[in-house]
Amino acid sequence: DVKVTQSSRYLVKRTGEKVFLECVQDMDHENMFWYRQDPGLGLRLIYFSYDVKMKEKGDIPEGYSVSREKKERFSLILESASTNQTSMYLCASSLRRDKLRAFFGQGTRLTVV
Amino acid sequence: EDQVTQSPEALRLQEGESSSLNCSYTVSGLRGLFWYRQDPGKGPEFLFTLYSAGEEKEKERLKATLTKKESFLHITAPKPEDSATYLCAVRLSSNTGKLIFGQGTTLQVKP
């Protein structure tokens, strides 16, 4: 069965900390995505990657960076966590070919205090 | 600007009371419209993909349809276990797979 796994379900971090969110997929997908989800705002794309070491900014990249050293792993980095980055973070992956759906991880609920 | 809008934001139904959720879109080039179901505290779970106007897909009590400007998710005789947030997303032809999501419709089905 298809699987996208996020390293943590819940995280609590302090303001100013550097935070790493990890995502691993086992489907050999080329594309990987990081979204954040907030009430009333829906899912917003932070960054995506369409190949190893390749990345592109999404709609809200400020305050975030990403790393994709291996095809199966896509990391989201909060360089200096702030309270407005408290959110649900969702990782997804998909094949590069058109028309194919994205598979999502279970989400990481991050609270910055 | 590419945009996806879902309505209503919230919907409360009695068990067995059929209804429809709407997803309207204004995008420069559509290469797939996706419906997802999301339970509280979990990631979205794929339901359907629609590619062209006139297409329909069905799964149990759910049926998704697509026109040139909108998609509907019809729920026939819903049960309490259908309660969830339903998300609509479009994939654009101009990029490598990025999805644009609507804000979702939260459905509550009461017994």
Side-chain angles (χ1 to χ4, degrees):
Chain A
D1 213 11
V2 159
K3 206 139 188 182
V4 178
T5 304
Q6 295 182 227
S7 53
S8 304
R9 289 294 306 274
Y10 301 96
L11 274 179
V12 180
K13 296 291 181 181
R14 294 193 180 279
T15 301
E17 274 193 78
K18 190 168 186 176
V19 181
F20 293 85
L21 303 183
E22 307 285 343
C23 175
V24 177
Q25 50 95 1
D26 64 359
M27 298 163 285
D28 204 34
H29 284 174
E30 294 92 355
N31 299 329
M32 295 189 76
F33 309 84
W34 275 106
Y35 290 87
R36 67 176 280 177
Q37 186 176 29
D38 301 286
L41 298 176
L43 274 78
R44 294 179 292 165
L45 182 65
I46 305 171
Y47 267 97
F48 68 101
S49 167
Y50 51 88
D51 204 347
V52 176
K53 297 192 186 293
M54 306 299 287
K55 60 184 179 185
E56 285 201 20
K57 293 180 180 179
D59 301 316
I60 50 165
E62 297 78 20
Y64 303 95
S65 62
V66 289
S67 172
R68 192 158 180 210
E69 296 296 319
K70 294 185 177 182
K71 191 175 185 180
E72 67 271 18
R73 188 181 295 270
F74 192 34
S75 302
L76 179 69
I77 303 154
L78 286 64
E79 298 291 343
S80 177
S82 63
T83 54
N84 63 13
Q85 292 178 310
T86 292
S87 185
M88 169 74 111
Y89 289 86
L90 291 162
C91 173
S93 71
S94 72
L95 283 168
R96 184 175 297 157
R97 296 196 305 271
D98 286 341
K99 301 183 179 181
L100 292 174
R101 67 187 191 263
F103 295 86
F104 282 84
Q106 77 277 24
T108 296
R109 171 70 65 184
L110 173 67
T111 302
V112 183
V113 297
Chain B
E1 184 185 348
D2 298 317
Q3 199 166 3
V4 178
T5 304
Q6 290 186 248
S7 62
E9 285 188 22
L11 182 61
R12 298 173 79 174
L13 299 173
Q14 288 296 128
E15 185 172 0
E17 180 187 0
S18 301
S19 187
S20 296
L21 283 55
N22 177 263
C23 171
S24 63
Y25 58 92
T26 52
V27 298
S28 50
L30 182 71
R31 195 155 283 187
L33 184 142
F34 302 82
W35 282 98
Y36 286 86
R37 170 192 170 125
Q38 186 176 25
D39 293 302
K42 295 189 176 180
E45 181 184 330
F46 172 78
L47 291 173
F48 303 110
T49 309
L50 301 165
Y51 301 125
S52 55
E55 190 174 359
E56 298 182 352
K57 295 273 178 75
E58 279 190 74
K59 180 180 178 180
E60 296 179 352
R61 295 177 292 282
L62 300 177
K63 179 180 177 181
T65 62
L66 181 65
T67 71
K68 287 188 177 179
K69 292 189 176 181
E70 58 191 349
S71 176
F72 291 94
L73 185 65
H74 307 277
I75 304 177
T76 303
K79 298 182 177 182
E81 54 262 40
D82 295 322
S83 298
T85 296
Y86 292 86
L87 300 169
C88 167
V90 299
R91 183 169 176 175
L92 305 182
S93 58
S94 59
N95 58 53
T96 53
K98 174 182 169 181
L99 295 175
I100 298 177
F101 280 85
Q103 293 185 355
T105 294
T106 299
L107 172 66
Q108 184 180 30
V109 181
K110 297 206 159 191

